[in-house]
Amino acid sequence: MLFLPTELPGVFVIEPEPTGDDRGLFARTYCAEEFARRGLCTQWAQCNVSFNTRAGTLRGMHWQAAPHEEVKLVRCTAGAALDVVADARPDSPTYRKWVAVELTAANRRAVYIPGGYAHGFQTFADGTELFYQMSAFYVPGAARGARWDDPALGIAWPPCDRRVIAPRDLSFPDLPT
């Protein structure tokens, strides 16, 4: 596996290194030893699937507040999406900075997201599914969100003829100044 650092501290794009033959390919997508060697989370409390019927579905930007921060390892198992991570830690030098990574079933990439970062995505294809490994259990009272189009974040979401966004996600506030 290749661990590719991003502009945000602790956020990595993880690319498998497949070996192939006439049957297809084989690749590791997770190895506790390799994650631990880099000081990354190796304990997963739960796994989640986000299935999205329509292209243009936008989910985000979500995180959990202290002391219930959650580390996420996110990959696309069907379809394609633009995955976005934004620093939601007010005391961080990279506060409000963001990175975007295209995750597809074909490229098999994953994004490693430490606690304190907001996460969201927009799908490019009908039937897109994202698989999440989570370090902490979901705590409804700790759930937080920032508006997907917060002007201070300035996320460059791909153009879309018809976005599908849940009312809850539309109601989130901007990140505090």
Side-chain angles (χ1 to χ4, degrees):
M1 290 178 294
L2 301 174
F3 291 77
L4 309 173
T6 69
E7 297 83 31
L8 296 178
V11 177
F12 292 90
V13 175
I14 301 170
E15 292 189 355
E17 295 181 286
T19 56
D21 58 24
D22 59 346
R23 298 169 297 168
L25 65 83
F26 179 86
R28 283 185 306 154
T29 59
Y30 174 76
C31 174
E33 287 179 344
E34 289 192 40
F35 274 62
R37 201 173 313 135
R38 291 167 175 81
L40 304 180
C41 179
T42 61
Q43 300 287 320
W44 305 108
Q46 67 184 47
C47 297
N48 304 320
V49 171
S50 173
F51 179 78
N52 304 275
T53 306
R54 294 190 187 123
T57 298
L58 193 146
R59 296 182 188 249
M61 301 292 293
H62 308 138
W63 72 97
Q64 283 196 169
H68 304 285
E69 297 99 325
E70 52 194 4
V71 176
K72 299 177 183 178
L73 182 60
V74 181
R75 76 180 61 255
C76 182
T77 55
L82 184 72
D83 201 78
V84 178
V85 180
D87 193 340
R89 304 167 302 158
D91 296 332
S92 169
T94 57
Y95 181 57
R96 290 194 182 129
K97 302 275 191 239
W98 58 273
V99 295
V101 179
E102 188 171 336
L103 300 180
T104 71
N107 72 23
R108 297 179 180 84
R109 288 180 184 149
V111 176
Y112 179 90
I113 307 164
Y117 285 89
H119 173 253
F121 62 85
Q122 179 178 314
T123 63
F124 292 132
D126 292 349
T128 293
E129 181 177 275
L130 276 73
F131 177 75
Y132 291 62
Q133 290 171 255
M134 313 290 285
S135 68
F137 296 107
Y138 177 68
V139 177
R144 299 291 185 271
R147 206 171 88 204
W148 69 278
D149 61 350
D150 177 344
L153 284 173
I155 297 170
W157 295 103
C160 184
D161 292 335
R162 186 176 136 199
R163 278 200 180 92
V164 180
I165 306 175
R168 175 180 162 240
D169 287 355
L170 290 170
S171 72
F172 286 139
D174 294 344
L175 281 177
T177 55

